[in-house]
Amino acid sequence: MPLYKDNHIKIYNSLSGEKETFKPINEGYVGMYVCGPTVYSNVHLGNVRTFMSFDVIFRYLKHLGYKVRFVRNITDAGHLENDADVGEDRIAKRARLEEIEPMEVVQRYTVDFHNVLNKFNFLPPSIEPTATGHIIEQIEIIKVILEKGLAYEVNGSVYFDVIKYNETKPYGILSKRNLEDLMHNSRDLDGQSDKKNPQDFALWKKAEPLHIMRWPSPWSDGFPGWHLECTAMSTKYLGEQFDIHGGGMDLKFPHHECEIAQAEACNDKAPVNYWMHANMLIMNGKKMAKSTGNFILPTEIFSGDNPHLTKAFSPSVARFFMLQAHYRSILDFTNNGLLASEKGFLRLMDAINALDELTPSSTSTFKIEEWQQKCYDAMNDDFNTPILIANLFEAVKFINQIKEGTATITQDHLTLLKKTVHTFAFDVLGLVNVTESESNIEKLSGAVELLIQLRQEARANKDFATSDKIRDELAIAGIQLNDGKEGTTFTTN
């Protein structure tokens, strides 16, 4: 019998503002959509935190035996700079500044996105569709909304009529915003916009003559609105109604609000049963911002090459740090927090590694079944990873007591303990068993690779004295450099 039969998950639904018992539309199956990145720059840590939250949710649902179709999109067109239907497409702008094709920008930063997530041991989604791969589907949705009189075309652009929609369905239902208040707080249109009302949003934008990314449509050569792509891709792969839609808190309005309006207008039904939002990531108590220097890239965590860090940290330590906060809580990213998490992480891994060395007894002094249920209870309560981690450390304490001879465990309980710890630490939380010695080897490898690069630069500059010094000093330290056709490798003595 699948585990989901006995584990009833409570999910905080942003739509109702309450925890609700999760009941999928089709028993045993879960459809989940998460808004992915706009690939115009390196993925930032706030993105990673959001995607990590849903990676754990995906993992846990799979562990319970659900067949999960997890869709996470790639936004590779249509996302304007200020999210307000004006300005330049973010990808096209980067392409113009770097004098390359937009799809070169997309490829570069999609690869970066995947590389970073792989470092953090993310599971890949079931489907990863792109906005540019679904232009036809977006055009078809626009046609339906126009036919229903809930959109209008002006000068080759198509806009969603929020006020008309609000006559029969509430706009602002997710973000709890009243349309009258939105109208009151909006600035008057300056006469340069084609919109009837400031609250209306673009379904299709006519491309200006110099706009690089454009596609033919019944209205103009142009590009789809940012909000439309998620409606098109989620309904195509998950149906007109599906179970879970996730994303960062910053997407609740206007992005997710517009998604709801589009889907309701097109299909006359609410698209999603459970809306989930991960909270923001701050750094040293302040908002992350490149302009102030209060900023860090994920790769800088692994290298330690950032003024806010005193050392490098492994991806699993960083992952462990983030999961010590609930996904709906604000997380403050600090060097001291990472240092404390590293100690805790290594303590957890040491205890897990010690499981194979424990000697079973005829009795157990630990109520293993009760402890196991507490682990499930934590995850069933809106995926509460901090409580789950606290329960894992309760097991760490018991494992250490067995090693010290102050506690005992039977063979059956030892088997169950090992299985449960491995399940939650590795399968659900997605941690990787990196011991301190392995972590040090990883750091050593990075340092040697840097020295190899410096040696290559010295040789290229005909600075053979420096080149030889690097080789000789490494040899004294027991590290042998091997030059070959494929480059330089190293071995340790």
Side-chain angles (χ1 to χ4, degrees), residues 297-420:
L297 289 171
T299 52
E300 292 173 343
I301 300 171
F302 315 145
S303 67
D305 186 19
N306 185 285
H308 297 288
L309 297 179
T310 56
K311 56 172 293 201
F313 296 91
S314 74
S316 261
V317 167
R319 184 178 177 108
F320 184 69
F321 167 77
M322 290 194 219
L323 294 178
Q324 285 180 291
H326 190 267
Y327 78 90
R328 286 192 290 112
S329 301
I330 293 174
L331 174 61
D332 190 3
F333 193 88
T334 66
N335 182 73
N336 287 340
L338 280 168
L339 289 169
S341 288
E342 185 174 55
K343 289 180 181 177
F345 172 78
L346 293 173
R347 185 167 160 244
L348 175 61
M349 292 304 114
D350 286 343
I352 291 174
N353 293 333
L355 282 167
D356 291 328
E357 303 167 8
L358 298 183
T359 303
S361 303
S362 57
T363 60
S364 287
T365 55
F366 187 61
K367 296 178 179 178
I368 183 70
E369 289 91 352
E370 288 184 15
W371 170 81
Q372 182 190 51
Q373 189 57 52
K374 284 168 63 178
C375 292
Y376 280 101
D377 289 345
M379 289 302 292
N380 293 340
D381 183 17
D382 197 28
F383 311 100
N384 200 322
T385 56
I387 299 300
L388 171 61
I389 289 171
N391 290 332
L392 289 176
F393 276 106
E394 190 178 335
V396 168
K397 181 179 178 182
F398 175 58
I399 291 167
N400 290 333
Q401 287 173 343
I402 297 173
K403 288 169 61 179
E404 295 162 1
T406 58
T408 59
I409 189 169
T410 64
Q411 181 61 62
D412 286 348
H413 280 186
L414 178 58
T415 301
L416 181 59
L417 176 63
K418 189 185 300 184
K419 179 183 176 183
T420 305

Side-chain angles (χ1 to χ4, degrees), residues 75 103 150 172 203 430 463:
T75 296
M103 284 302 130
L150 295 172
L203 298 174
D463 182 3

Side-chain angles (χ1 to χ4, degrees), residues 5-303:
K5 293 281 190 181
D6 294 324
N7 287 277
H8 305 292
I9 302 172
K10 292 269 190 179
I11 292 178
Y12 182 86
N13 191 345
S14 298
L15 197 60
S16 66
E18 297 177 351
K19 287 183 185 178
E20 300 176 7
T21 300
F22 177 62
K23 186 176 181 182
I25 295 169
N26 300 301
E27 184 179 345
Y29 294 83
V30 177
M32 181 168 74
Y33 186 92
V34 173
C35 291
T38 302
V39 283
Y40 71 101
S41 65
N42 297 104
V43 61
H44 64 75
L45 208 55
N47 293 145
V48 171
R49 196 253 172 133
T50 295
F51 299 137
M52 186 179 295
S53 299
F54 291 100
D55 178 62
V56 170
I57 291 167
F58 180 37
R59 286 169 173 274
Y60 187 61
L61 292 172
K62 283 168 64 72
H63 167 68
L64 292 184
Y66 284 110
K67 185 176 176 60
V68 187
R69 178 175 289 176
F70 174 27
V71 182
R72 187 185 65 216
N73 72 297
I74 295 287
T75 296
D76 58 353
H79 196 166
L80 302 184
E81 287 178 279
N82 61 3
D83 302 341
D85 299 334
V86 295
E88 194 171 359
D89 183 287
R90 293 181 177 187
I91 293 163
K93 181 179 180 180
R94 177 58 65 98
R96 179 176 55 80
L97 292 173
E98 297 191 19
E99 297 182 334
I100 58 176
E101 281 289 327
M103 284 302 130
E104 288 183 78
V105 174
V106 167
Q107 179 70 13
R108 177 188 303 171
Y109 294 113
T110 300
V111 169
D112 170 73
F113 173 67
H114 289 149
N115 286 343
V116 169
L117 265 55
N118 286 339
K119 284 276 190 183
F120 280 106
N121 196 34
F122 280 54
L123 295 179
S126 313
I127 304 173
E128 192 174 56
T130 64
T132 57
H134 295 77
I135 299 295
I136 293 172
E137 289 85 351
Q138 294 177 76
I139 288 173
E140 291 304 310
I141 289 175
I142 296 171
K143 288 179 181 177
V144 173
I145 298 174
L146 278 168
E147 287 171 6
K148 293 188 175 183
L150 295 172
Y152 55 91
E153 185 263 331
V154 181
N155 297 328
S157 293
V158 182
Y159 296 95
F160 189 92
D161 193 332
V162 170
I163 293 178
K164 182 73 173 176
Y165 170 83
N166 196 65
E167 291 175 3
T168 56
K169 295 183 173 68
Y171 180 79
I173 190 171
L174 178 65
S175 57
K176 311 297 185 288
R177 301 189 187 205
N178 183 283
L179 183 57
E180 290 183 3
D181 293 337
L182 289 171
M183 293 170 66
H184 179 73
N185 293 326
S186 296
R187 292 178 295 176
D188 291 334
L189 296 174
D190 59 9
Q192 297 180 356
S193 174
D194 292 328
K195 294 182 185 181
K196 290 181 181 177
N197 310 288
Q199 297 76 27
D200 298 345
F201 56 90
L203 298 174
W204 187 265
K205 287 283 285 183
K206 179 181 179 180
E208 297 299 324
L210 295 179
H211 196 95
I212 307 171
M213 305 181 79
R214 57 174 67 219
W215 293 265
S217 80
W219 314 285
S220 65
D221 278 5
F223 54 95
W226 171 43
H227 312 304
L228 188 62
E229 64 177 270
C230 288
T231 297
M233 290 184 278
S234 62
T235 54
K236 176 169 183 175
Y237 298 110
L238 299 174
E240 293 178 358
Q241 282 188 307
F242 56 95
D243 300 300
I244 298 171
H245 193 313
M249 197 77 75
D250 57 319
L251 297 180
K252 189 183 291 187
F253 186 89
H255 185 52
H256 290 163
E257 201 71 74
C258 294
E259 278 192 62
I260 291 175
Q262 290 165 164
E264 288 258 15
C266 188
N267 303 315
D268 295 313
K269 59 183 72 170
V272 179
N273 286 348
Y274 303 89
W275 284 90
M276 301 181 68
H277 292 93
N279 215 326
M280 65 185 295
L281 181 72
I282 60 176
M283 186 169 172
N284 299 317
K286 301 174 184 176
K287 182 180 178 180
M288 278 197 185
K290 286 184 179 178
S291 58
T292 62
N294 195 53
F295 184 81
I296 186 170
L297 289 171
T299 52
E300 292 173 343
I301 300 171
F302 315 145
S303 67

